[in-house]
């Protein structure tokens, strides 16, 4: 190879790395802004439960703020952050360059336009009614679907031009998640499914698969790349990861109907959802075992690497939250917990304890490798411990309070009694929420240090080596 060809190749690689760095940083910064906004709305909601007179006025009613919080968290924060991670993982694991930086930027704009316009519509009272996690008016959801299609095209084309023989395990999960979600988003828009029991069935299908077929595979894909990099060892079992991938696809799509037990939905559909909810233990236990066995013998490194700590908690959140969801699907337990705050605690255990910690672990592990800038160990520690303690308080308070709430209803006590009994737990919910929000402020500062900071920050020896392995 001539010297000129070598120099041209080196220049192309350098340009590709710089482009990927900017894209990864932009997705992370954008997602972080949505995290701060959406969780601030969540704090307002938490204190409206503790003090119903707090924040009067139609703009601050629960019916407007709650979908702003959930959709902002789902599609502003988590979706954008996970796509940014997926792009980085696809490029690095495939040993290639990003297929189209322009498509990546277009996708980022589409995600943000959908989230911004959707938020404004909800603030003004325009929504699609009681449709969980899809309250945005349908034209806004079409924009989000366009963002998904652009992302799917770019990810698949990037992996298709890989210089490796095999498709790495992470890319199975991220590509699968994007493709599945395109299908789910189309079904949620088709007008003939939006009436009567069809609306109920599709609502269960959409809201549950938004978690299990979008956030879950992208978060697991992050685990499968970042964890071996941080530990400098291969994943325990590639075959087990593929087995978990396909069993998740077989069992998960139909289990959303377990949210509508004792409803007019066909009894056979409800029972099938319960059976498949139990079957979900197969991919959950298989995937969790794969991660924990990969970490076997290296748990001492948790004391020195906060990216590893975030990922470890994320794995535990995946295992505990998913197992809890299986038990929650049983009719005997739904009779107590359905429509109570227990379900809210469960959703935060999965979305926060699993997905958010997976995102944070991936960003702390991989973003410094892309930018050459690091956040301080103290900043990571403050973020980790406030987020962990906050979510534990949040989940425990709503789990205990929600169980008491359900038992009050089972015992046919006056409804107001369940409100009185929940009051102290609402207060603790607010305490946990404040800690979580404060941790997000620290995270935002850490993101600044890792992207726009004036100079690279020094890190302890073990943590620094972990970052180098994550390159």
């Amino acid at each position: 190879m001539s010297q000129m060809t070598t120099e041209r190749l080196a220049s192309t690689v350098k340009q590709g790395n710089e482009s990927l760095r900017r894209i990864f940083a932009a997705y992370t910064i954008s997602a972080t802004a949505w995290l701060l906004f959406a969780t601030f709305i969540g704090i307002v909601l938490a204190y409206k439960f503790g003090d119903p007179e707090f924040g009067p006025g139609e703009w601050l009613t629960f019916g407007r703020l709650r979908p702003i919080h959930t959709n902002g968290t789902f599609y502003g924060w988590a979706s954008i952050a996970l796509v940014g991670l997926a792009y980085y993982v696809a490029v690095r694991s495939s040993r290639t360059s990003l297929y189209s930086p322009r498509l990546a930027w277009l996708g980022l704009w589409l995600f943000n336009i959908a989230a911004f316009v959707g938020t404004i519509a909800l603030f003004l009272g325009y929504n699609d009614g009681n449709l969980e996690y899809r309250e945005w008016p349908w034209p806004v959801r079409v924009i989000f679907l366009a963002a998904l299609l652009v992302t799917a095209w770019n990810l698949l084309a990037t992996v298709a031009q890989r210089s490796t023989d095999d498709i790495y395990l992470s890319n199975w999960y991220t590509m699968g998640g994007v493709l599945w979600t395109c299908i789910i988003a189309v079904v949620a828009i088709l007008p003939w499914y939006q009436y009567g029991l069809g609306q109920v069935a599709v609502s269960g299908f959409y809201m549950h698969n938004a978690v299990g077929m979008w956030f879950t595979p992208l978060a697991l894909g992050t685990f499968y790349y970042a964890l071996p990099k941080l530990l400098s060892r291969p994943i325990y079992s590639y075959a087990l990861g593929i087995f978990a991938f396909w069993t998740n696809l077989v069992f998960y799509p139909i289990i959303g109907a377990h949210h509508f037990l004792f409803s007019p939905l066909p009894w056979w559909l409800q029972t099938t959802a319960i059976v498949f909810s139990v079957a979900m233990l197969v991919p959950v236990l298989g995937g969790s075992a794969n991660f924990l066995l990969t970490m076997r013998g290296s748990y001492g490194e948790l004391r020195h690497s906060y990216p590893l700590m975030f990922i470890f908690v994320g794995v535990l959140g995946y295992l505990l939250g998913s197992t809890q969801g299986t038990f929650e699907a049983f009719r005997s337990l739904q009779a107590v917990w359905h429509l109570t705050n227990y379900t809210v605690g469960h959703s935060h255990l999965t979305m926060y304890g699993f997905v958010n910690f997976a995102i944070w672990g991936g960003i702390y592990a991989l973003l410094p490798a892309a930018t050459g800038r690091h956040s301080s160990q103290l900043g990571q520690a403050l973020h980790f411990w406030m987020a962990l303690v906050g979510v534990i308080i949040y989940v425990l308070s709503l789990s205990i309070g929600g169980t008491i709430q359900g038992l009050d209803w089972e015992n046919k006590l006056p409804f107001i009694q369940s409100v009185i009994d929940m009051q102290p737990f609402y207060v603790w919910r607010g305490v946990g929420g404040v800690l979580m929000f404060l941790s997000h402020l620290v995270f935002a500062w850490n993101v600044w240090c890792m992207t726009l900071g004036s100079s690279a920050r020094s890190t302890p020896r073990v943590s620094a080596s972990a970052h180098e392995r994550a390159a």
Side-chain angles (χ1 to χ4, degrees):
M1 184 180 295
S2 67
Q3 182 178 356
M4 183 176 298
T5 303
T6 304
E7 291 176 353
R8 187 181 299 115
L9 179 61
S11 176
T12 301
V13 171
K14 183 178 180 180
Q15 291 176 2
N17 289 338
E18 178 64 16
S19 177
L20 180 63
R21 180 194 70 78
R22 291 184 178 182
I23 289 169
F24 190 9
Y27 271 79
T28 302
I29 293 170
S30 176
T32 304
W34 282 109
L35 174 68
L36 295 179
F37 169 75
T39 51
F40 174 75
I41 298 295
I43 290 294
V44 175
L45 283 167
Y47 277 90
K48 286 180 74 71
F49 278 102
D51 180 9
E53 300 301 320
F54 174 73
E58 63 180 27
W59 285 68
L60 297 177
T61 57
F62 179 84
R64 294 196 185 186
L65 293 183
R66 197 268 180 174
I68 290 172
H69 167 66
T70 54
N71 285 272
T73 302
F74 273 41
Y75 308 122
W77 151 244
S79 294
I80 294 175
L82 286 168
V83 169
L85 285 164
Y87 277 139
Y88 184 84
V89 170
V91 169
R92 292 304 186 209
S93 63
S94 300
R95 297 177 184 175
T96 186
S97 57
L98 189 63
Y99 171 74
S100 173
R102 288 186 178 181
L103 285 178
W105 287 110
L106 175 60
L108 179 59
W109 275 105
L110 289 172
F111 278 124
N112 277 290
I113 289 171
F116 179 77
V117 176
T119 298
I120 296 299
L122 294 175
F123 259 128
L124 296 176
Y126 296 102
N127 59 57
D128 269 357
N130 56 341
L131 305 175
E132 191 84 5
Y133 305 147
R134 56 178 182 146
E135 292 90 350
W136 286 347
W138 71 264
V140 180
R141 286 186 278 125
V142 170
I143 298 174
F144 184 78
L145 174 59
L148 290 174
L149 292 171
V150 167
T151 301
W153 179 10
N154 210 8
L155 272 178
L156 268 65
T158 298
V159 176
Q161 66 182 17
R162 67 191 181 278
S163 61
T164 59
D165 293 331
D166 297 325
I167 298 176
Y168 184 63
L169 193 54
S170 290
N171 296 322
W172 280 78
Y173 281 85
T174 55
M175 291 190 301
V178 175
L179 291 174
W180 297 333
T181 308
C182 288
I183 297 171
I184 295 164
V186 169
V187 172
I189 291 173
L190 296 176
W192 50 86
Y193 287 131
Q194 313 308 323
Y195 304 97
L197 283 181
Q199 182 194 62
V200 176
V202 171
S203 185
F205 171 80
Y206 180 85
M207 71 174 180
H208 218 283
N209 287 328
V211 177
M213 306 300 280
W214 174 231
F215 301 119
T216 295
L218 267 69
L220 295 179
T222 300
F223 283 161
Y224 275 113
Y225 183 81
L227 186 59
K229 283 292 183 181
L230 287 170
L231 295 175
S232 193
R233 62 170 63 171
I235 198 71
Y236 174 76
S237 172
Y238 194 100
L240 186 56
I242 294 296
F243 176 73
F245 172 86
W246 286 111
T247 50
N248 188 85
L249 175 58
V250 170
F251 297 137
Y252 203 99
I254 202 172
I255 68 176
H258 72 213
H259 283 272
F260 298 98
L261 302 184
F262 310 111
S263 75
L265 285 180
W267 196 257
W268 67 264
L269 179 60
Q270 299 178 38
T271 302
T272 304
I274 297 171
V275 172
F276 277 47
S277 297
V278 175
M280 272 302 298
L281 289 174
V282 174
V284 168
L285 294 176
S288 300
N290 213 4
F291 301 129
L292 295 175
L293 288 171
T294 301
M295 296 181 68
R296 183 175 53 182
S298 299
Y299 288 102
E301 287 204 31
L302 290 172
R303 294 175 298 170
H304 309 289
S305 173
Y306 276 101
L308 198 57
M309 287 279 279
F310 276 102
I311 289 176
F312 178 65
V313 171
V315 170
L316 294 182
Y318 174 58
L319 175 61
L320 296 175
S322 300
T323 304
Q324 181 191 40
T326 293
F327 285 99
E328 197 175 348
F330 292 122
R331 287 190 175 95
S332 58
L333 295 175
Q334 278 280 294
V336 176
W337 288 329
H338 189 52
L339 300 178
T340 71
N341 281 275
Y342 185 93
T343 306
V344 182
H346 164 68
S347 66
H348 281 75
L349 175 58
T350 52
M351 272 303 296
Y352 199 95
F354 162 41
V355 176
N356 277 14
F357 273 80
I359 294 172
W360 290 325
I363 288 174
Y364 282 129
L366 305 178
L367 187 58
T371 65
R373 295 184 172 95
H374 303 277
S375 58
S376 68
Q377 189 84 341
L378 176 60
Q380 293 180 21
L382 287 173
H383 177 200
F384 176 81
W385 289 110
M386 284 195 292
L388 180 61
V389 173
V391 73
I392 289 174
I393 293 174
Y394 192 104
V395 172
L396 284 179
S397 61
L398 290 188
S399 298
I400 297 170
T403 302
I404 294 172
Q405 190 179 26
L407 292 174
D408 284 347
W409 299 346
E410 280 282 290
N411 294 325
K412 296 181 171 54
L413 297 178
F415 180 80
I416 192 62
Q417 184 61 48
S418 67
V419 177
I420 294 171
D421 290 342
M422 272 300 301
Q423 185 67 18
F425 299 101
Y426 283 142
V427 173
W428 280 107
R429 169 190 185 163
V431 171
V434 167
L435 284 173
M436 293 152 71
F437 180 69
L438 291 175
S439 79
H440 302 164
L441 294 175
V442 177
F443 172 65
W445 170 251
N446 291 339
V447 167
W448 172 269
C449 294
M450 292 184 289
T451 56
L452 302 174
S454 58
S455 62
R457 288 174 172 264
S458 60
T459 55
R461 181 184 59 83
V462 176
S463 179
S465 64
H467 284 308
E468 290 165 5
R469 292 198 298 266

